[in-house]
Amino acid sequence: MKRDFQSFLLYLLGFLLLWEWLRPVEQLTTTEHIEMFVIFILISFAASFLRLKWIWQTILKIWFILFSLNMFHYEEGFFQFSWLSSFFSNLTTDFSMLVARNWTGISNEFRTFLFFILLWLMVYLVNYWLLNRKRIFIFFFMTLIYITVLDTFTLYSARTAIVRTVVVGFAVMGMLTYYRILAKEKVNTDSLNTRKWMRPLVLMIAFSVIVGIVAPKFEPIWPDPVPYLKAAGNKGGEEGIGTGVAKVGYGTDDSRLGGPFIGDDSIVFRSEAMEKNYWKVETKDHYTGKGWIPSDSTLYRIGGEDLIPVFSIPSNVETRDESASLFMFMDYEHLIYPAGIQRVQFQRNYILEIDSTKEKISILNGVDSTPIAPDAYSIEHKIPKYKAADLRETTAANPEQINAEFLERYTQLPDNLPDRVKELAESITEEETNWFDKAKAVERHFGSAGFIYSQTDVAVPGENDDYVDQFLFETKIGYCDNFSTSMAVMLRSLGIPTRWVKGYTGGEFLEYSEDDSSKQIYEVTNNNAHSWVEVYFPNQGWVPFEPTKGFTNTVSIDFTNDDGTPAATETTATPTSKPQQELEEDTDSSKGTDKSLSFSSFWLSVKTFFNKNWKLMLLIFGVIVCAAGLLYRLRGKWIPHWYLLQFRLRKKDENIGKAYLILLEQLERYGLKRNEDQTLRNYARFIDTFFASREMSKLTDRYEQYLYHQKLPDGSWKDSRELWENLIKKTIA
């Protein structure tokens, strides 16, 4: 098959079909870095389309596999070959485990390696079906079965996947049918015939898909054929196993945390602000051993535009004034606000009802005081800039600064909390002397102690289990609720006041505001719901901390003294990560990414650079595309010079084989096309007649001598090259 647009389209459609097999993997399993596997199959298809020699394809794929293994599982650099010797030394053990069918004993590195090999084989099979057999119905049919079975029996939603697969499958089968007919009937292909075939194919697929989408659907006769789905729906489960599968998003009941959840990219709101913020909804202060509840509830009301008495930032902390606008996509009757909120501006007359314990702010109609969900509102708030030197001043609870009732409320712990939780906290912070460094030490512990972020394989504590104890010492697998609750409880065991905060992270950047180019618009979905920790410092107020592995908050801390010199050794750097967070509906959990911090920070820097320079990058991309198009259009002028330079220094007589084929391509590009039934000698006479010479016939005689005898007299290439160069030069317009 020629390397033309049609063949490129076939390869692309084959890649899209195979991609559908990978899409459910990340959601239904603990497999991370799924984008690297997608890149691998993309590279494999590209290498096949470009017709690289098998040896180069093999080298390229092996290099990518080893690079990925190093990035996934090893801390050493790629060119530090100690990791490579470790990997190969473990292959024998892994193979023996595989032969013995001891699946749990196989290392994660070997599992990753086997997955790459499987994808390699699948790409080969797809290429074989596309190019050799020109039939792909079986693979298309198996893809449909695969995604529909997952849609029926698992939490994976294949609604759009089925549409994508049908469109891609029908398109590739239609194209392959067209090529089979051409081969069977021995019909010459040209662009006109191709367009005549492809137009009705595209119209048929588009019409079928549109009708299928808009047509009315019957309700399922048996709506819940799988008992597991029923259990997931009612969140029931056996004690100690789990409470079922919850859906990501904001919820009010946090009394029993844990269990898996599924993602939801439904838009909650869009924000227009100078920078990305964490968005609060409420806090909770009483830990039960299974989850969080508020200790009490004190409600009072204020006017919709009055100063909001939620004072988390004292006046002695340096701040700057900012504003943000929220445009709601979901009907929430509570305020979503950043720390340091001052006032809210609504389009209508509303009043606010504040729960002073939870700091949850409900929105009421100003006429009849009924709950109401506004479409949009603007917020004035202050952004603090903390100083590490000030944060480090607190070394113990001073009764003159913190009253006993406040301290008791925010250091409350259940009586049956296992002693080893406090012992672990003390061992982590034994070298620290102040509250701030102790809090940062506990925060860092979750990023370096073998904890795993997961939203699927998450346990629920049994009747006699403590939620934090189970996470810290038994599973070490969880999402933001596990990390934030554990940090809050560990600090409370040291006598440091903390509270648990629920809300949303900053979301994904969409565009710069049209009205104010200095502001950015972010989209926040249910997947961005999150929980974190706030620690109380008497002279600084409530300061946010982010213990969840792979996440970072936006708090600003100045680690320099007043004279500009560095403060104490900065050991408080929080790992950066790409901002993708989630929280489930009932357990308010968060969905993130268990990627290595180095890869995450690299990816975040790439996204930040793209967000700031996308216009310039788009311009550069356009220039590159135009330049590539111009080079392609003028290839008849510059490619011959490249060929002349390429063969000028070659001396072997065997070069005539490749050079002659290049000459045929160049002559066809020049417009002297050879007919399919035309012999080389007849074609050579035609060329000689066109150029009024005998050079093509002489060169063809020598090429046929090489072709049939695989040998030429020594030194033949020198004379042949002169004939070849003269013919090439004649095609340069």
Side-chain angles (χ1 to χ4, degrees):
M1 186 175 291
K2 296 181 179 179
R3 281 186 296 177
D4 51 17
F5 177 75
Q6 287 80 11
S7 61
F8 170 77
L9 191 58
L10 275 179
Y11 277 98
L12 178 62
L13 295 175
F15 163 73
L16 293 176
L17 271 183
L18 186 52
W19 192 2
E20 292 298 339
W21 289 74
L22 286 178
R23 291 178 185 271
V25 171
E26 188 172 29
Q27 181 174 333
L28 299 179
T29 70
T30 57
T31 305
E32 297 291 345
H33 302 287
I34 202 69
E35 70 280 352
M36 297 299 291
F37 299 105
V38 176
I39 293 173
F40 176 74
I41 63 175
L42 182 61
I43 291 175
S44 301
F45 275 107
S48 180
F49 172 74
L50 297 174
R51 296 182 185 174
L52 297 181
K53 291 185 178 180
W54 69 268
I55 183 64
W56 296 116
Q57 290 194 40
T58 303
I59 292 174
L60 177 63
K61 293 173 185 177
I62 291 177
W63 176 87
F64 187 87
I65 292 173
L66 294 177
F67 175 81
S68 301
L69 287 171
N70 173 263
M71 187 184 71
F72 296 166
H73 302 291
Y74 295 93
E75 295 181 358
E76 298 92 332
F78 179 71
F79 295 103
Q80 296 177 358
F81 297 109
S82 58
W83 73 269
L84 197 59
S85 60
S86 174
F87 170 71
F88 283 115
S89 64
N90 292 332
L91 281 182
T92 305
T93 304
D94 287 322
F95 270 116
S96 62
M97 294 289 182
L98 187 65
V99 173
R101 292 182 292 181
N102 183 7
W103 315 123
T104 58
I106 298 176
S107 65
N108 289 330
E109 297 92 321
F110 191 63
R111 296 171 193 265
T112 305
F113 177 73
L114 291 179
F115 193 40
F116 273 115
I117 298 301
L118 175 63
L119 293 177
W120 191 337
L121 294 175
M122 292 187 70
V123 171
Y124 172 79
L125 288 175
V126 173
N127 282 329
Y128 173 76
W129 287 325
L130 283 175
L131 304 181
N132 296 74
R133 299 294 304 277
K134 291 186 173 59
R135 298 178 186 274
I136 205 169
F137 174 76
I138 293 179
F139 183 69
F140 167 53
F141 181 67
M142 293 301 297
T143 304
L144 278 178
I145 291 180
Y146 169 70
I147 60 177
T148 51
V149 167
L150 290 181
D151 180 74
T152 303
F153 294 98
T154 71
L155 299 172
Y156 177 67
S157 176
R159 227 178 245 184
T160 56
I162 292 174
V163 176
R164 289 194 305 264
T165 303
V166 168
V167 171
V168 173
F170 281 2
V172 71
M173 286 196 301
M175 293 181 66
L176 292 177
T177 302
Y178 170 68
Y179 286 120
R180 288 201 308 272
I181 292 174
L182 291 180
K184 182 178 180 181
E185 302 297 334
K186 298 181 180 179
V187 178
N188 292 331
T189 179
D190 55 42
S191 58
L192 181 61
N193 288 334
T194 302
R195 286 196 296 270
K196 287 181 179 179
W197 178 272
M198 295 304 167
R199 284 172 183 168
L201 175 64
V202 172
L203 292 175
M204 183 273 292
I205 295 175
F207 177 77
S208 302
V209 171
I210 293 174
V211 170
I213 292 175
V214 302
K217 283 110 179 143
F218 289 104
E219 291 296 326
I221 298 175
W222 189 10
D224 190 12
V226 185
Y228 171 74
L229 295 181
K230 183 179 291 185
N234 62 24
K235 300 175 179 62
E238 296 181 19
E239 192 66 53
I241 297 177
T243 56
V245 182
K247 188 179 181 182
V248 65
Y250 172 76
T252 58
D253 184 8
D254 306 301
S255 59
R256 189 170 179 83
L257 301 177
F261 67 91
I262 57 176
D264 180 13
D265 58 0
S266 302
I267 302 174
V268 178
F269 65 92
R270 285 179 180 165
S271 66
E272 181 179 312
M274 293 289 292
E275 59 187 34
K276 186 177 293 189
N277 297 302
Y278 264 35
W279 301 93
K280 297 175 64 173
V281 175
E282 63 179 326
T283 68
K284 293 188 177 178
D285 61 347
H286 189 89
Y287 176 65
T288 64
K290 298 292 188 294
W292 292 92
I293 58 174
S295 58
D296 56 25
S297 180
T298 304
L299 302 177
Y300 59 93
R301 296 180 180 180
I302 64 172
E305 296 186 1
D306 292 348
L307 180 67
I308 298 177
V310 177
F311 305 113
S312 58
I313 306 173
S315 58
N316 61 297
V317 176
E318 180 184 352
T319 61
R320 72 174 191 272
D321 294 331
E322 291 291 350
S323 63
S325 298
L326 271 67
F327 306 93
M328 304 303 299
F329 284 73
M330 289 189 176
D331 295 334
Y332 279 138
E333 298 166 352
H334 56 257
L335 206 64
I336 300 175
Y337 61 95
I341 184 173
Q342 299 294 299
R343 286 182 172 86
V344 184
Q345 295 180 351
F346 298 101
Q347 297 176 351
R348 295 174 55 187
N349 180 27
Y350 297 137
I351 59 177
L352 301 177
E353 185 176 71
I354 303 175
D355 187 325
S356 60
T357 302
K358 297 193 298 182
E359 293 190 352
K360 185 173 184 178
I361 306 173
S362 301
I363 307 169
L364 307 178
N365 193 316
V367 178
D368 55 9
S369 297
T370 57
I372 193 168
D375 295 329
Y377 48 86
S378 298
I379 297 177
E380 297 176 7
H381 63 104
K382 293 181 179 293
I383 296 181
K385 184 177 181 181
Y386 300 104
K387 293 184 178 180
D390 295 335
L391 291 168
R392 290 189 171 112
E393 288 181 3
T394 305
T395 58
N398 186 346
E400 296 180 359
Q401 294 178 312
I402 305 178
N403 65 58
E405 181 182 355
F406 180 92
L407 185 64
E408 181 181 1
R409 169 180 289 183
Y410 291 105
T411 57
Q412 168 274 330
L413 290 172
D415 295 335
N416 59 350
L417 180 73
D419 294 337
R420 59 181 180 174
V421 174
K422 181 178 181 180
E423 293 170 359
L424 176 62
E426 290 175 341
S427 67
I428 294 172
T429 61
E430 60 183 354
E431 297 181 0
E432 312 299 344
T433 58
N434 60 79
W435 282 7
F436 177 69
D437 286 336
K438 289 182 179 181
K440 296 303 288 185
V442 173
E443 184 184 53
R444 289 195 306 273
H445 173 73
F446 295 104
S448 60
F451 291 91
I452 298 174
Y453 188 101
S454 174
Q455 67 274 16
T456 55
D457 188 20
V458 182
V460 173
E463 187 64 30
N464 299 320
D465 296 325
D466 181 86
Y467 178 68
V468 169
D469 180 79
Q470 183 187 64
F471 174 68
L472 290 176
F473 299 101
E474 296 178 16
T475 65
K476 291 191 175 183
I477 300 175
Y479 36 78
C480 69
D481 286 352
N482 299 88
F483 287 90
S484 57
T485 300
S486 297
M487 178 176 179
V489 169
M490 291 172 72
L491 291 179
R492 286 187 173 195
S493 70
L494 300 175
I496 301 176
T498 64
R499 65 184 181 183
W500 190 65
V501 189
K502 294 170 53 179
Y504 299 88
T505 56
E508 296 295 326
F509 172 83
L510 285 184
E511 58 187 354
Y512 288 96
S513 173
E514 295 181 358
D515 300 328
D516 186 353
S517 59
S518 64
K519 291 189 175 182
Q520 307 167 28
I521 297 177
Y522 293 89
E523 185 173 83
V524 179
T525 69
N526 274 332
N527 289 333
N528 293 109
H530 193 50
S531 63
W532 61 96
V533 181
E534 286 184 348
V535 180
Y536 184 77
F537 298 88
N539 62 333
Q540 301 291 295
W542 290 104
V543 179
F545 287 80
E546 180 55 272
T548 304
K549 188 173 184 179
F551 293 77
T552 183
N553 56 26
T554 56
V555 64
S556 174
I557 300 178
D558 184 5
F559 287 93
T560 59
N561 296 317
D562 294 335
D563 58 0
T565 59
T569 304
E570 205 282 278
T571 59
T572 59
T574 307
T576 57
S577 166
K578 67 190 250 188
Q580 181 184 352
Q581 295 98 349
E582 290 96 352
L583 187 80
E584 82 288 351
E585 181 180 50
D586 283 10
T587 59
D588 305 295
S589 308
S590 57
K591 178 180 179 182
T593 171
D594 186 28
K595 304 181 183 298
S596 63
L597 297 181
S598 58
F599 179 78
S600 300
S601 40
F602 168 75
W603 179 247
L604 179 61
S605 64
V606 171
K607 290 183 67 176
T608 304
F609 176 79
F610 180 80
N611 291 337
K612 292 182 178 179
N613 303 278
W614 68 271
K615 292 183 179 179
L616 177 61
M617 294 178 66
L618 189 62
L619 177 62
I620 294 174
F621 178 75
V623 171
I624 293 174
V625 171
C626 293
L630 185 63
L631 287 174
Y632 181 78
R633 188 73 180 268
L634 302 176
R635 64 191 185 282
K637 293 185 177 181
W638 63 267
I639 285 183
H641 294 286
W642 165 248
Y643 288 153
L644 292 173
L645 180 64
Q646 184 179 2
F647 284 91
R648 187 153 293 168
L649 301 177
R650 298 187 179 184
K651 298 181 180 181
K652 293 184 179 180
D653 295 324
E654 292 78 6
N655 287 317
I656 190 173
K658 187 174 182 179
Y660 189 84
L661 296 177
I662 289 175
L663 176 61
L664 294 180
E665 292 180 0
Q666 179 61 20
L667 289 171
E668 182 175 348
R669 192 180 296 112
Y670 183 70
L672 302 176
K673 187 176 181 180
R674 175 189 169 207
N675 298 328
E676 290 188 3
D677 57 349
Q678 192 174 19
T679 64
L680 288 178
R681 289 179 179 273
N682 288 335
Y683 182 63
R685 285 194 290 270
F686 167 70
I687 298 299
D688 287 338
T689 302
F690 184 85
F691 289 122
S693 71
R694 291 279 300 163
E695 292 170 332
M696 187 65 180
S697 295
K698 292 180 181 178
L699 187 62
T700 301
D701 288 340
R702 295 181 182 178
Y703 173 71
E704 289 182 338
Q705 182 180 358
Y706 167 76
L707 189 64
Y708 297 127
H709 299 285
Q710 293 296 308
K711 189 177 181 181
L712 287 173
D714 293 340
S716 299
W717 169 239
K718 183 177 180 181
D719 296 334
S720 301
R721 189 185 66 201
E722 291 185 15
L723 297 172
W724 179 80
E725 287 183 353
N726 291 336
L727 289 166
I728 288 288
K729 290 176 181 178
K730 289 177 181 179
T731 63
I732 301 176

